[in-house]
Amino acid sequence: PFATLSFALSNACVQGRGDIVFVMPGHRESIPDAATLAMNCAGVAVIGIGSGNLRPTFTFTTAATANIPVRSSNMSIQNCLFLANFADIASVFTAIRGSSATSTITGTTLTTVGAVTGSFYPGMTLGGTGVTPGTIILSQLTGAANGIGTYQVSISQTVPSTTITGLTPDFAIDNCEVRDLSSVLNFLTIFTGNATANSCDGLALTNSRISSLGTTAATTAIKLSSATDRLAIRDNFGN
C-alpha cells in the first residue's frame, strides 16, 4: 500500500500496461494546488472502495486554482468523493494543453526536430500523418523536460518528418460525487478542456452525482473549448 494516489501513479504503475489502483475506504487526501496530484499514467483505472462518506475523499483547499490535471490518455476514476473547501474552485479536473512539434519516429524513438508547442508528457496519445493509432509516449529519453528531445513510444514504426501531436483522450469519471460544502465553498466546473481540437475526445462523465450549493458564480459541469468527439454524458444526478 502507498500513502497517496500520486505516489502510486508515479512509482508503481507503468504507462499503457492497464494497471488498476484500488483506493481503500476512508482514504483522504488534500488537493491544495495544481501539482499535488495528476492523472499521469496512461491506461490506469483508479477505483475507490467503500460507500457514502467512506469513499476515498479528495478535499480541495487553499486556492481557487487547485485542480487535478489530466496529463495521460485512457485513464478512469471511479467511486470517489470530491469536496470543495475553498471559494470558487475553478475545476476538479483540467485537461492540459495539447502539444505539437515537427517530429520523426524511428523504431520506438520519437525525435522532436522543431520547437514544441505545449508539453509532451508520458502517457499522451500521439497523432499525425503516418502515426500508428494507439501510440503513446512511454518515457522521455533526452532533452529539455517535456520539450525538445527524444521520447520512447509504445509502437515501433517509421514516420518521416511531420507535425506530431500529443493529446489526452478517453478520460472517464464514473460513479463519483462532486460536492460543495457550502454556498461559498464550491466548485465551478467538474472538467475543463483546452483549446486543442480533439484533445478531450472520448471524455465520459457517467453515473455520477453533482451536489452544487455555490451561489457566488455560475457553475457548469463540463467546459469544452474545442472540437470534441465521442463525448459520453449520461445517468448523472444533480441538486
Side-chain angles (χ1 to χ4, degrees):
F2 304 110
T4 66
L5 176 57
S6 177
F7 189 92
L9 291 173
S10 299
N11 294 274
C13 297
V14 174
Q15 299 287 349
R17 189 170 63 183
D19 291 328
I20 301 173
V21 177
F22 291 103
V23 190
M24 299 301 288
H27 180 78
R28 292 181 175 270
E29 293 188 36
S30 292
I31 308 296
D33 50 39
T36 296
L37 172 62
M39 303 299 282
N40 61 357
C41 194
V44 171
V46 178
I47 301 177
I49 302 174
S51 62
N53 288 327
L54 278 180
R55 289 170 293 180
T57 300
F58 299 86
T59 302
F60 290 63
T61 63
T62 308
T65 53
N67 71 89
I68 302 173
V70 179
R71 293 181 179 173
S72 298
S73 53
N74 313 313
M75 296 194 70
S76 64
I77 188 163
Q78 306 171 41
N79 195 43
C80 290
L81 175 62
F82 303 93
L83 302 179
N85 196 28
F86 199 83
D88 296 339
I89 297 170
S91 192
V92 180
F93 297 98
T94 303
I96 65 163
R97 178 185 179 185
S99 59
S100 65
T102 301
S103 307
T104 63
I105 301 178
T106 302
T108 58
T109 300
L110 165 74
T111 302
T112 59
V113 295
V116 175
T117 299
S119 298
F120 281 115
Y121 286 100
M124 279 185 157
T125 292
L126 297 179
T129 302
V131 177
T132 302
T135 300
I136 64 171
I137 297 174
L138 298 179
S139 64
Q140 183 166 5
L141 302 174
T142 65
N146 309 117
I148 295 175
T150 61
Y151 298 79
Q152 182 184 5
V153 301
S154 60
I155 301 174
S156 181
Q157 57 200 284
T158 300
V159 180
S161 182
T162 189
T163 299
I164 292 180
T165 58
L167 306 172
T168 56
D170 296 297
F171 179 60
I173 304 165
D174 182 63
N175 193 34
C176 290
E177 181 178 350
V178 176
R179 184 190 300 173
D180 294 345
L181 292 184
S182 76
S183 62
V184 294
L185 299 173
N186 58 303
F187 292 111
L188 301 184
T189 306
I190 297 174
F191 181 90
T192 300
N194 58 48
T196 304
N198 303 111
S199 182
C200 301
D201 284 359
L203 173 68
L205 174 63
T206 56
N207 306 303
S208 294
R209 183 176 296 276
I210 306 168
S211 300
S212 181
L213 302 174
T215 60
T216 58
T219 58
T220 304
I222 294 176
K223 289 185 177 179
L224 298 174
S225 301
S226 61
T228 302
D229 297 331
R230 300 184 292 105
L231 191 65
I233 304 173
R234 61 177 182 269
D235 299 324
N236 301 296
F237 301 89
N239 63 281

